[in-house]
Amino acid sequence: NAGVTQTPKFRILKIGQSMTLQCTQDMNHNYMYWYRQDPGMGLKLIYYSVGAGITDKGEVPNGYNVSRSTTEDFPLRLELAAPSQTSVYFCASSPRDRGRGETQYFGPGTRLLVL
Amino acid sequence: GNSVTQMEGPVTLSEEAFLTINCTYTATGYPSLFWYVQYPGEGLQLLLKATKADDKGSNKGFEATYRKETTSFHLEKGSVQVSDSAVYFCALRGLNDYKLSFGAGTTVTVRA
């Protein structure tokens, strides 16, 4: 299993450009998440999904959009990139929650710089 | 809401030294508690977890005990190695909550 894969690894965007961060998992997990990690801060949840066709906002959703058309894929869309979106983005997945202790599996991250 | 506070770093240690990273939390009910580790250039991976009071999670020589009375989940290792150099995150998942709430992370550097 490849686990959770993310592309690209690094990207530079100009202000106002748009892009899609790709995330794929091959573990047949129902739940998927997008987090951002800013320097000296913990991870903040952007969006999450509990299954194909179902998405919901996290703590910091403004400026982002997501879709979940398949179990495997959970792309994150940035429209009109702003410098405040400079961050490292992590995708994660977990199995259906059965006992509250389900592990989240993280991808390697995408480093985004908006200039 | 749920929140996690962990000790600020960076922490620099010599090999074979004792490591402790403090973590306290605020949550209603009985959350699940986690320690994740991020090695340089990599994503986060689960180090250990505990899902109820007095549970002890352990992995790779690291331990943490879920203390409900002090709302704490401190991470400890008796003898660190250079390969333990990483950023360590304490996190919690509240009852009926999908997301993890993370602490700010503690950077640990172990010198030979």
Side-chain angles (χ1 to χ4, degrees):
Chain A
N1 285 350
V4 180
T5 57
Q6 293 182 237
T7 56
K9 289 185 178 180
F10 176 66
R11 182 77 182 268
I12 299 175
L13 279 183
K14 294 183 179 178
I15 295 171
Q17 287 185 320
S18 61
M19 75 166 292
T20 299
L21 282 66
Q22 301 291 345
C23 174
T24 301
Q25 54 92 8
D26 63 358
M27 297 174 282
N28 200 33
H29 286 167
N30 293 94
Y31 297 176
M32 295 188 74
Y33 314 82
W34 274 105
Y35 293 91
R36 58 176 288 171
Q37 181 184 25
D38 299 316
M41 309 283 287
L43 280 69
K44 299 291 186 184
L45 183 68
I46 304 171
Y47 270 96
Y48 67 96
S49 168
V50 300
I54 306 170
T55 63
D56 209 346
K57 296 178 180 178
E59 302 169 87
V60 289
N62 291 344
Y64 307 95
N65 279 299
V66 294
S67 59
R68 184 99 181 267
S69 57
T70 67
T71 299
E72 296 78 20
D73 300 307
F74 191 41
L76 178 72
R77 178 82 177 163
L78 278 71
E79 307 281 2
L80 299 174
S84 61
Q85 294 178 304
T86 293
S87 189
V88 181
Y89 292 84
F90 289 101
C91 180
S93 71
S94 67
R96 184 184 299 277
D97 187 14
R98 299 188 189 281
R100 303 185 302 115
E102 308 311 324
T103 300
Q104 290 189 15
Y105 297 83
F106 285 79
T110 293
R111 185 174 298 273
L112 177 66
L113 180 61
V114 181
L115 300 175
Chain B
N2 297 335
S3 66
V4 175
T5 302
Q6 65 181 99
M7 90 185 240
E8 294 184 15
V11 175
T12 302
L13 301 165
S14 298
E15 247 185 338
E16 300 183 3
F18 182 86
L19 171 67
T20 182
I21 304 175
N22 290 340
C23 172
T24 57
Y25 68 89
T26 301
T28 54
Y30 291 85
S32 295
L33 301 173
F34 305 83
W35 277 101
Y36 277 83
V37 60
Q38 184 179 29
Y39 298 105
E42 298 184 11
L44 280 72
Q45 54 185 276
L46 180 69
L47 181 59
L48 53 84
K49 67 181 182 183
T51 58
K52 60 183 187 296
D54 299 325
D55 266 2
K56 177 186 284 188
S58 61
N59 185 26
K60 298 181 180 180
F62 289 89
E63 293 184 340
T65 301
Y66 188 141
R67 300 289 187 196
K68 180 67 175 175
E69 64 276 12
T70 54
T71 61
S72 64
F73 193 54
H74 305 320
L75 182 68
E76 297 181 337
K77 186 173 185 180
S79 177
V80 294
Q81 305 300 313
V82 172
S83 58
D84 294 323
S85 298
V87 182
Y88 294 83
F89 292 93
C90 186
L92 73 81
R93 184 174 178 183
L95 186 63
N96 299 322
D97 200 356
Y98 294 115
K99 72 176 181 69
L100 289 171
S101 297
F102 284 89
T106 301
T107 301
V108 173
T109 302
V110 180
R111 294 181 175 170

